[in-house]
Every structure is written in C-alpha cells, then in structure tokens.
Amino acid sequence: MKGALSLAECKPAFKTDCTLIFNNGRDKKDFILRTSFDSVGVWKAKNPDTPISYFQSTKNLITKEAAIIDGDVWVFSIDATKPQDIVASVKIGMDHYKAKASDIIGDVYVKNLNSDHQKTLSKHDLIIENKKLYSGVCKAVMGAAKLLGVQGVINFYVISSNINHKIPKDDLYDALKQGGASKVESDDIKYKMWSGSNDGLEGLMIKQNLHLATLSV
C-alpha cells in the first residue's frame, strides 16, 4: 500500500492534492491521512454542511479525535510542529488503513502554511514567523519518523507560489533547509488551485508552485 500524510488541512473543498509530483506527473495513492490544527468542534463550526463520520480505533489508539470525511481519515487537534502529535495521527492512520508507518509518512504534503497571527504582523515579521513554521514542521516530521522507527528518505512536498508574499521562494528554501532538508528543489509547472484561509471563511483560486524538500532520517 502507498499513502500520504497531509498536514494542516482546512476545508475539504480546498484539501491538498497529494497525488502531485514533479513534471506535471501524478503518483496514485491508495489512501490519504489528513490532519487539522483545529479541534473537531471548531472544524465542524467552520464546515457545518460537511458530512462527518466519527470512528473509534480498534486498538484504543484514539488520543486525538478522528473522523472519515469524503473517504479520507482526518485527525484533529494536530499541531504539525509537535512530533508527538504527528505520531498520534500516523498511529490512527496505521490502525484504520492497516498500513505501516512508512506507508503514511514517506510522502508528506503541506499547502500554504501560515502563522495564525498573520493579520497582526507586518510583511517582514510574517515572513519570519512563517519561516519558523515551515522549519518547525520539517523538524517535527523528522522527529515523528524517528519515533515511529521509520528510516530513509521522506518526500516533503510544499505547495506555495514562488512569489508568495507571506514566504517567497528563497525564504521558503532557507526555512526548509533550516528544518533539516538535505536538498530542496522546485518544479517549473504552475498549478491553479484553491487555497483557504486559517479562519476557514474564504478561499482563493491562485497559481501555485510545487517544491520538494528531501528529509533524510
């Protein structure tokens, strides 16, 4: 089986496409494990019309709230800068999908991560905070992989415009390398896709770039 882990999701309508790879290619996934920073109550308030089916782990691994949404497992209250939170979500995914940790955390996707304080920060300070965020998520993914006993290369895909004023390409590269990436590269293809805000109230259709940070564990 081959899956993927998508961190910091918002609305299902804006969910990350975890089949994307370089050169306009597609890598079919058997399943996707998605996480949200919000608690299930907050998420539900932002998405009141979305059908959601709660479930219980067969191995009593539920240390976080989880549900099936549009056929995918979503795990809530996950801070992607904390290795233990990522481990908790992966264990829930392992149980539900009957998969190995490496099947889930081998390909990790994030799209337009942004500080929760973005509306109160200057452009300069927002870039600094977002660099800390991306760096922290990289470190947490590597830390979680070690805790789960996963070794080898993790593909950490980032969907973000090269001219994203909240974290331009050069700053994104710096952040990923500070987070432990041994190599960072970008695709020339531009993808037009929806991206949602942290508050869940709005979304924009914008042109995005695909970046790949290689994390070696």
Coordinates of all heavy atoms in Angstrom, one line a residue, residues 125-201:
D125 N 7.7 40.7 9.4 CA 7.6 39.8 10.6 C 6.8 38.5 10.2 O 7.1 37.4 10.8 CB 6.8 40.5 11.7 CG 7.7 41.5 12.4 OD1 8.9 41.5 12.2 OD2 7.2 42.4 13.1
L126 N 5.9 38.6 9.3 CA 5.1 37.5 8.8 C 6.0 36.5 8.1 O 5.9 35.2 8.4 CB 4.0 37.9 7.9 CG 3.1 36.7 7.3 CD1 2.5 35.9 8.5 CD2 2.0 37.3 6.4
I127 N 6.9 36.9 7.3 CA 7.9 36.0 6.6 C 8.7 35.3 7.7 O 8.9 34.1 7.6 CB 8.8 36.8 5.7 CG1 7.9 37.3 4.5 CG2 9.9 36.0 5.2 CD1 8.7 38.2 3.5
I128 N 9.2 36.1 8.7 CA 10.0 35.4 9.8 C 9.2 34.4 10.5 O 9.7 33.3 10.7 CB 10.4 36.5 10.8 CG1 11.5 37.5 10.1 CG2 11.1 35.9 12.0 CD1 11.9 38.6 11.0
E129 N 7.9 34.7 10.8 CA 7.1 33.7 11.5 C 6.8 32.5 10.7 O 6.8 31.3 11.2 CB 5.8 34.3 12.0 CG 6.0 35.3 13.2 CD 6.6 34.7 14.4 OE1 6.1 33.6 14.8 OE2 7.7 35.2 14.8
N130 N 6.6 32.7 9.4 CA 6.3 31.6 8.5 C 7.5 30.7 8.3 O 7.4 29.5 8.1 CB 5.7 32.1 7.2 CG 4.2 32.4 7.3 OD1 3.5 31.9 8.2 ND2 3.7 33.2 6.4
K131 N 8.7 31.3 8.2 CA 9.9 30.5 8.1 C 10.1 29.6 9.3 O 10.4 28.5 9.2 CB 11.1 31.5 8.0 CG 11.2 32.1 6.6 CD 12.5 33.0 6.5 CE 13.7 32.2 6.4 NZ 14.9 33.1 6.1
K132 N 9.8 30.2 10.5 CA 9.8 29.4 11.7 C 8.8 28.2 11.7 O 9.1 27.1 12.1 CB 9.5 30.2 13.0 CG 10.6 31.3 13.3 CD 10.1 32.1 14.5 CE 11.1 33.2 14.9 NZ 10.7 34.0 16.0
L133 N 7.7 28.5 11.1 CA 6.6 27.5 11.0 C 7.1 26.3 10.1 O 7.0 25.2 10.5 CB 5.3 28.1 10.5 CG 4.1 27.2 10.3 CD1 3.8 26.5 11.6 CD2 2.9 28.0 9.8
Y134 N 7.6 26.7 8.9 CA 8.0 25.6 8.0 C 9.2 24.8 8.5 O 9.2 23.6 8.4 CB 8.4 26.2 6.6 CG 7.2 26.4 5.7 CD1 6.6 27.6 5.5 CD2 6.7 25.3 4.9 CE1 5.5 27.8 4.7 CE2 5.6 25.5 4.1 CZ 5.0 26.7 3.9 OH 3.9 26.9 3.1
S135 N 10.1 25.5 9.1 CA 11.3 24.9 9.7 C 10.8 23.9 10.8 O 11.3 22.8 10.9 CB 12.2 25.9 10.3 OG 13.3 25.3 10.9
G136 N 9.9 24.4 11.7 CA 9.4 23.6 12.8 C 8.6 22.4 12.3 O 8.8 21.3 12.9
V137 N 7.9 22.5 11.2 CA 7.1 21.3 10.7 C 8.1 20.3 10.1 O 8.0 19.1 10.4 CB 6.1 21.8 9.6 CG1 5.5 20.5 9.0 CG2 5.0 22.6 10.3
C138 N 9.1 20.8 9.4 CA 10.2 19.8 8.9 C 10.8 19.0 10.1 O 10.9 17.8 10.0 CB 11.3 20.6 8.2 SG 11.0 20.8 6.4
K139 N 11.2 19.7 11.1 CA 11.8 19.1 12.2 C 10.9 18.1 12.9 O 11.3 17.0 13.3 CB 12.3 20.1 13.3 CG 13.4 21.0 12.8 CD 13.8 22.1 13.8 CE 14.9 23.0 13.3 NZ 15.2 24.1 14.2
A140 N 9.6 18.5 13.0 CA 8.6 17.6 13.6 C 8.4 16.4 12.8 O 8.2 15.3 13.4 CB 7.3 18.4 13.9
V141 N 8.3 16.5 11.5 CA 8.1 15.3 10.7 C 9.3 14.3 10.8 O 9.1 13.1 11.0 CB 8.0 15.7 9.2 CG1 8.1 14.5 8.3 CG2 6.7 16.4 9.0
M142 N 10.5 14.9 10.8 CA 11.7 14.0 11.0 C 11.7 13.4 12.4 O 12.0 12.2 12.6 CB 13.0 14.8 10.8 CG 13.1 15.3 9.4 SD 14.6 16.3 9.1 CE 15.9 15.1 9.2
G143 N 11.3 14.2 13.4 CA 11.2 13.6 14.8 C 10.2 12.6 14.9 O 10.4 11.5 15.5
A144 N 9.0 12.8 14.2 CA 8.0 11.8 14.3 C 8.4 10.5 13.6 O 8.1 9.4 14.1 CB 6.7 12.3 13.6
A145 N 9.1 10.6 12.5 CA 9.6 9.4 11.7 C 10.5 8.6 12.6 O 10.4 7.4 12.7 CB 10.3 9.8 10.5
K146 N 11.4 9.3 13.3 CA 12.3 8.6 14.2 C 11.6 7.8 15.3 O 11.9 6.7 15.7 CB 13.3 9.5 14.8 CG 14.3 10.1 13.8 CD 15.2 11.1 14.4 CE 16.2 11.7 13.4 NZ 17.0 12.8 13.9
L147 N 10.6 8.5 15.9 CA 9.8 7.9 17.0 C 9.0 6.7 16.5 O 8.7 5.7 17.2 CB 8.8 8.9 17.6 CG 9.5 10.0 18.4 CD1 8.4 11.1 18.7 CD2 10.1 9.5 19.7
L148 N 8.6 6.7 15.2 CA 7.9 5.6 14.6 C 8.8 4.5 14.0 O 8.3 3.5 13.5 CB 7.0 6.2 13.5 CG 5.8 7.1 13.9 CD1 5.3 7.9 12.8 CD2 4.7 6.2 14.5
G149 N 10.1 4.7 14.1 CA 11.0 3.7 13.6 C 11.2 3.7 12.1 O 11.6 2.7 11.5
V150 N 10.8 4.8 11.5 CA 10.9 4.9 10.0 C 12.3 5.5 9.7 O 12.8 6.5 10.2 CB 9.9 5.9 9.4 CG1 10.1 6.1 8.0 CG2 8.5 5.3 9.7
Q151 N 13.0 4.8 8.7 CA 14.3 5.3 8.3 C 14.3 5.5 6.8 O 13.5 4.9 6.1 CB 15.4 4.3 8.7 CG 15.6 4.1 10.2 CD 16.7 3.1 10.5 OE1 16.9 2.1 9.8 NE2 17.4 3.4 11.6
G152 N 15.2 6.3 6.3 CA 15.3 6.5 4.9 C 14.9 7.9 4.5 O 15.1 8.9 5.3
V153 N 14.4 8.1 3.3 CA 14.1 9.4 2.7 C 12.6 9.7 2.8 O 11.8 8.8 2.5 CB 14.5 9.5 1.2 CG1 14.0 10.8 0.6 CG2 16.1 9.5 1.1
I154 N 12.3 10.9 3.3 CA 10.9 11.3 3.3 C 10.8 12.5 2.3 O 11.6 13.4 2.3 CB 10.5 11.8 4.7 CG1 10.5 10.7 5.7 CG2 9.1 12.5 4.7 CD1 10.3 11.1 7.2
N155 N 9.8 12.3 1.4 CA 9.5 13.4 0.5 C 8.5 14.4 1.1 O 7.4 14.1 1.4 CB 8.9 12.8 -0.8 CG 9.8 11.8 -1.5 OD1 11.0 12.1 -1.7 ND2 9.2 10.7 -1.9
F156 N 9.0 15.6 1.3 CA 8.2 16.6 2.0 C 7.8 17.7 0.9 O 8.6 18.5 0.5 CB 9.0 17.3 3.1 CG 8.2 18.3 3.9 CD1 7.4 17.9 4.9 CD2 8.4 19.7 3.7 CE1 6.7 18.8 5.7 CE2 7.6 20.6 4.4 CZ 6.8 20.1 5.4
Y157 N 6.6 17.5 0.4 CA 6.1 18.4 -0.7 C 5.5 19.6 -0.1 O 4.6 19.5 0.8 CB 5.1 17.6 -1.6 CG 5.7 16.6 -2.5 CD1 5.7 15.2 -2.1 CD2 6.3 16.9 -3.7 CE1 6.2 14.2 -2.9 CE2 6.8 15.9 -4.5 CZ 6.8 14.6 -4.1 OH 7.3 13.6 -4.9
V158 N 5.8 20.8 -0.7 CA 5.2 22.0 -0.3 C 4.6 22.7 -1.5 O 5.2 22.8 -2.6 CB 6.3 23.0 0.3 CG1 5.7 24.4 0.6 CG2 7.0 22.4 1.5
I159 N 3.3 23.0 -1.4 CA 2.6 23.8 -2.4 C 2.5 25.2 -2.0 O 1.9 25.6 -1.0 CB 1.2 23.2 -2.6 CG1 1.3 21.7 -3.1 CG2 0.4 24.0 -3.6 CD1 0.0 21.0 -3.1
S160 N 3.2 26.1 -2.7 CA 3.3 27.5 -2.4 C 3.8 28.3 -3.6 O 4.8 27.8 -4.2 CB 4.2 27.7 -1.2 OG 4.4 29.1 -0.9
S161 N 3.2 29.4 -3.9 CA 3.7 30.2 -5.0 C 5.1 30.7 -4.8 O 5.5 31.1 -3.7 CB 2.7 31.4 -5.2 OG 3.3 32.3 -6.2
N162 N 5.9 30.7 -5.9 CA 7.2 31.3 -5.8 C 7.2 32.7 -5.4 O 8.2 33.2 -4.8 CB 7.9 31.2 -7.2 CG 8.4 29.7 -7.5 OD1 8.4 28.9 -6.6 ND2 8.6 29.5 -8.8
I163 N 6.1 33.4 -5.7 CA 6.0 34.9 -5.3 C 5.1 35.1 -4.2 O 4.5 36.2 -4.1 CB 5.6 35.7 -6.6 CG1 4.3 35.2 -7.2 CG2 6.8 35.7 -7.6 CD1 3.8 36.1 -8.3
N164 N 4.9 34.1 -3.4 CA 4.0 34.2 -2.2 C 4.6 35.3 -1.3 O 5.7 35.1 -0.7 CB 4.0 32.9 -1.5 CG 3.0 32.9 -0.3 OD1 2.5 33.9 0.2 ND2 2.8 31.7 0.3
H165 N 3.9 36.4 -1.1 CA 4.4 37.5 -0.3 C 4.5 37.1 1.2 O 5.2 37.8 1.9 CB 3.5 38.7 -0.4 CG 2.2 38.6 0.1 ND1 1.1 38.0 -0.5 CD2 1.7 39.0 1.3 CE1 0.0 38.0 0.2 NE2 0.3 38.6 1.3
K166 N 3.9 36.0 1.6 CA 4.0 35.6 3.0 C 5.2 34.8 3.3 O 5.6 34.6 4.4 CB 2.7 34.9 3.4 CG 1.4 35.7 3.3 CD 0.2 34.9 3.6 CE -1.1 35.7 3.4 NZ -2.3 34.9 3.7
I167 N 5.8 34.2 2.2 CA 7.0 33.5 2.3 C 7.5 33.2 0.9 O 7.2 32.2 0.3 CB 7.0 32.2 3.2 CG1 8.3 31.5 3.3 CG2 5.9 31.2 2.6 CD1 8.5 30.5 4.4
P168 N 8.3 34.1 0.3 CA 8.8 34.0 -1.0 C 9.7 32.7 -1.1 O 10.2 32.2 -0.1 CB 9.6 35.2 -1.3 CG 9.1 36.2 -0.3 CD 8.7 35.4 0.9
K169 N 10.0 32.3 -2.4 CA 10.7 31.1 -2.6 C 12.0 31.0 -1.9 O 12.3 30.0 -1.3 CB 10.9 30.9 -4.1 CG 11.7 29.7 -4.5 CD 11.9 29.6 -6.0 CE 12.8 28.5 -6.4 NZ 13.0 28.4 -7.9
D170 N 12.8 32.0 -1.9 CA 14.1 32.0 -1.3 C 14.0 31.8 0.2 O 14.8 31.0 0.8 CB 14.9 33.3 -1.6 CG 15.4 33.3 -3.0 OD1 15.3 32.3 -3.7 OD2 15.8 34.4 -3.5
D171 N 13.0 32.4 0.8 CA 12.8 32.3 2.2 C 12.3 30.9 2.6 O 12.6 30.3 3.6 CB 11.8 33.4 2.7 CG 12.4 34.8 2.7 OD1 13.4 35.0 3.4 OD2 11.9 35.6 1.9
L172 N 11.4 30.4 1.7 CA 10.9 29.0 1.9 C 12.1 28.0 1.8 O 12.2 27.1 2.7 CB 9.9 28.7 0.8 CG 9.4 27.2 0.8 CD1 8.6 27.0 2.1 CD2 8.5 27.0 -0.4
Y173 N 13.0 28.2 0.9 CA 14.2 27.3 0.8 C 15.0 27.3 2.1 O 15.4 26.3 2.6 CB 15.0 27.7 -0.4 CG 14.7 27.0 -1.7 CD1 13.4 26.8 -2.1 CD2 15.7 26.5 -2.5 CE1 13.1 26.2 -3.3 CE2 15.4 25.9 -3.7 CZ 14.1 25.7 -4.1 OH 13.8 25.1 -5.3
D174 N 15.2 28.6 2.5 CA 16.0 28.7 3.8 C 15.3 28.0 4.9 O 16.0 27.3 5.7 CB 16.1 30.2 4.1 CG 17.1 30.9 3.2 OD1 17.9 30.3 2.6 OD2 17.1 32.2 3.2
A175 N 14.0 28.2 5.0 CA 13.3 27.5 6.1 C 13.4 26.0 6.1 O 13.6 25.4 7.1 CB 11.8 28.0 6.1
L176 N 13.2 25.5 4.9 CA 13.2 24.0 4.8 C 14.6 23.4 5.1 O 14.7 22.4 5.7 CB 12.8 23.6 3.4 CG 11.3 24.0 3.0 CD1 11.1 23.7 1.5 CD2 10.3 23.2 3.8
K177 N 15.6 24.2 4.6 CA 17.0 23.7 5.0 C 17.3 23.8 6.4 O 18.0 23.0 7.0 CB 18.0 24.5 4.1 CG 17.9 24.1 2.6 CD 18.9 25.0 1.8 CE 18.8 24.6 0.3 NZ 19.7 25.4 -0.6
Q178 N 16.8 24.9 7.1 CA 17.0 25.1 8.5 C 16.2 24.0 9.3 O 16.6 23.6 10.4 CB 16.5 26.4 8.9 CG 17.3 27.6 8.5 CD 16.7 29.0 8.8 OE1 15.7 29.1 9.5 NE2 17.2 30.0 8.1
G179 N 15.2 23.5 8.6 CA 14.4 22.4 9.3 C 15.0 21.0 9.1 O 14.5 20.0 9.6
G180 N 16.1 20.9 8.3 CA 16.8 19.7 8.2 C 16.8 19.1 6.8 O 17.4 18.0 6.6
A181 N 16.2 19.8 5.8 CA 16.2 19.2 4.5 C 17.6 19.2 3.9 O 18.4 20.2 3.9 CB 15.3 20.1 3.6
S182 N 18.0 18.1 3.3 CA 19.3 17.9 2.7 C 19.3 18.5 1.3 O 20.4 18.8 0.7 CB 19.7 16.4 2.6 OG 18.7 15.7 1.9
K183 N 18.1 18.6 0.7 CA 18.0 19.2 -0.7 C 16.6 19.7 -0.9 O 15.6 19.2 -0.3 CB 18.3 18.1 -1.7 CG 18.2 18.5 -3.2 CD 18.6 17.5 -4.2 CE 17.6 16.3 -4.2 NZ 17.9 15.3 -5.3
V184 N 16.5 20.9 -1.6 CA 15.2 21.5 -1.9 C 15.2 21.8 -3.4 O 16.2 22.4 -3.9 CB 14.9 22.7 -1.1 CG1 13.5 23.2 -1.4 CG2 15.1 22.5 0.4
E185 N 14.2 21.4 -4.1 CA 14.1 21.8 -5.5 C 12.6 22.1 -5.8 O 11.7 21.8 -5.0 CB 14.5 20.6 -6.3 CG 13.9 19.2 -6.0 CD 14.6 18.1 -6.6 OE1 15.1 18.2 -7.7 OE2 14.6 17.0 -6.0
S186 N 12.4 22.8 -7.0 CA 11.1 23.2 -7.4 C 10.8 22.8 -8.8 O 11.7 22.6 -9.6 CB 11.0 24.7 -7.3 OG 11.2 25.2 -6.0
D187 N 9.5 22.6 -9.1 CA 9.0 22.3 -10.4 C 8.7 23.5 -11.2 O 8.4 24.6 -10.6 CB 7.8 21.4 -10.2 CG 7.4 20.7 -11.5 OD1 8.1 20.9 -12.5 OD2 6.4 19.9 -11.5
D188 N 8.9 23.5 -12.5 CA 8.6 24.7 -13.3 C 7.1 24.8 -13.6 O 6.6 25.9 -14.0 CB 9.3 24.6 -14.7 CG 10.8 24.7 -14.5 OD1 11.3 25.4 -13.5 OD2 11.6 24.1 -15.3
I189 N 6.3 23.7 -13.4 CA 4.9 23.7 -13.7 C 4.2 24.6 -12.7 O 4.5 24.6 -11.5 CB 4.3 22.3 -13.7 CG1 5.1 21.4 -14.6 CG2 2.8 22.3 -14.0 CD1 5.0 21.8 -16.1
K190 N 3.2 25.4 -13.1 CA 2.3 26.1 -12.2 C 0.9 25.5 -12.2 O 0.4 25.1 -13.2 CB 2.2 27.6 -12.7 CG 3.5 28.4 -12.5 CD 3.3 29.8 -12.9 CE 4.5 30.6 -12.7 NZ 4.4 32.1 -13.0
Y191 N 0.4 25.3 -11.0 CA -0.9 24.7 -10.8 C -1.9 25.7 -10.3 O -1.6 26.4 -9.3 CB -0.7 23.5 -9.8 CG 0.3 22.5 -10.1 CD1 1.6 22.6 -9.8 CD2 -0.1 21.3 -10.9 CE1 2.5 21.6 -10.1 CE2 0.8 20.4 -11.2 CZ 2.1 20.5 -10.8 OH 3.0 19.5 -11.2
K192 N -3.0 25.7 -10.9 CA -4.1 26.6 -10.4 C -5.0 25.8 -9.5 O -5.6 24.8 -9.8 CB -4.9 27.1 -11.6 CG -5.7 28.4 -11.3 CD -6.3 29.0 -12.6 CE -7.0 30.3 -12.3 NZ -7.5 30.9 -13.5
M193 N -5.0 26.3 -8.2 CA -5.8 25.5 -7.2 C -6.3 26.4 -6.1 O -5.8 27.6 -5.9 CB -5.0 24.4 -6.6 CG -3.8 24.8 -5.9 SD -2.8 23.4 -5.2 CE -2.1 22.8 -6.7
W194 N -7.3 25.9 -5.4 CA -7.9 26.7 -4.3 C -7.0 26.6 -3.1 O -6.4 25.6 -2.8 CB -9.2 26.1 -3.9 CG -10.4 26.5 -4.8 CD1 -10.9 25.8 -5.8 CD2 -11.1 27.7 -4.8 NE1 -11.9 26.5 -6.5 CE2 -12.0 27.7 -5.8 CE3 -11.0 28.9 -4.0 CZ2 -12.9 28.7 -6.1 CZ3 -11.9 29.9 -4.3 CH2 -12.8 29.8 -5.3
S195 N -6.9 27.7 -2.3 CA -6.2 27.7 -1.1 C -7.1 28.5 -0.1 O -7.6 29.6 -0.4 CB -4.9 28.4 -1.2 OG -4.1 28.4 0.0
G196 N -7.3 27.9 1.1 CA -8.1 28.5 2.1 C -7.4 29.3 3.2 O -6.2 29.1 3.4
S197 N -8.1 30.2 3.9 CA -7.5 30.9 5.0 C -7.6 30.2 6.3 O -8.3 29.2 6.4 CB -8.3 32.2 5.1 OG -9.7 32.0 5.5
N198 N -6.8 30.6 7.3 CA -6.8 29.9 8.5 C -8.1 29.9 9.3 O -8.5 29.0 10.0 CB -5.7 30.5 9.5 CG -4.3 30.2 9.1 OD1 -4.1 29.5 8.1 ND2 -3.3 30.7 9.8
D199 N -8.9 31.0 9.0 CA -10.2 31.1 9.7 C -11.3 30.3 9.0 O -12.4 30.2 9.5 CB -10.6 32.6 9.9 CG -10.7 33.3 8.6 OD1 -10.8 32.7 7.6 OD2 -10.7 34.6 8.7
G200 N -11.0 29.8 7.9 CA -12.0 29.0 7.1 C -13.1 29.8 6.5 O -14.0 29.2 6.0
L201 N -12.9 31.1 6.4 CA -14.0 31.9 5.9 C -13.9 32.3 4.4 O -14.9 32.7 3.8 CB -14.1 33.2 6.7 CG -14.4 33.1 8.2 CD1 -14.4 34.4 8.9 CD2 -15.8 32.4 8.4

